[in-house]
Amino acid sequence: NGINKGIAIGRDEGIAIGRDEGIAIGRDEGIAIGRDEGVAIGRDEGIAIGAENALLSSIKSLMNSMHWTAEQAMIALAISPEKQIDYRKHLETQSTLN
């Protein structure tokens, strides 16, 4: 009958509208969460890069002022042997650029 058809059509339309609204809200929430996570990751990476640059600067300063080798400077700064490898690579790259 006509009433049941109207109810069925209304229900289907309501479901479609609700689904579209839910997708839009989910997309907006996903974008916001992604943006927040991106900012946090960027901040953490920036801090790590800043710390690395500060150590490189300290190594170079000790090498220049104390006439130490890179290894002596890194030992004085208590840089682990594993990280010393990375810093040596950075120092070598920078010296070839200068």
Side-chain angles (χ1 to χ4, degrees), residues 26-49:
R27 182 177 41 248
D28 291 345
E29 288 177 4
I31 289 169
I33 290 169
R35 185 180 307 115
D36 291 346
E37 288 178 2
V39 167
I41 291 169
R43 182 177 40 247
D44 291 347
E45 288 178 359
I47 290 169
I49 290 169

Side-chain angles (χ1 to χ4, degrees), residues 56 60 63 70 84-98:
L56 281 167
K60 288 190 259 182
M63 290 171 66
Q84 287 184 27
I85 295 168
D86 295 334
Y87 287 114
R88 268 193 215 95
K89 288 178 187 173
H90 284 291
L91 290 167
E92 289 169 7
T93 301
Q94 288 179 357
S95 70
T96 59
L97 296 176
N98 294 331

Side-chain angles (χ1 to χ4, degrees), residues 4 6 13 15 17 21 25 32 36 45-46 49 52 54 57-59 67-69 71 73 75 80-82 90-91 96:
N4 288 337
E13 287 177 2
I15 290 171
I17 291 169
E21 288 177 0
I25 290 169
D36 291 346
E45 288 178 359
I49 290 169
E52 184 173 280
S57 179
S58 295
I59 293 166
H67 305 287
W68 285 352
T69 64
E71 183 177 0
I75 289 170
S80 71
E82 295 81 21
H90 284 291
L91 290 167
T96 59

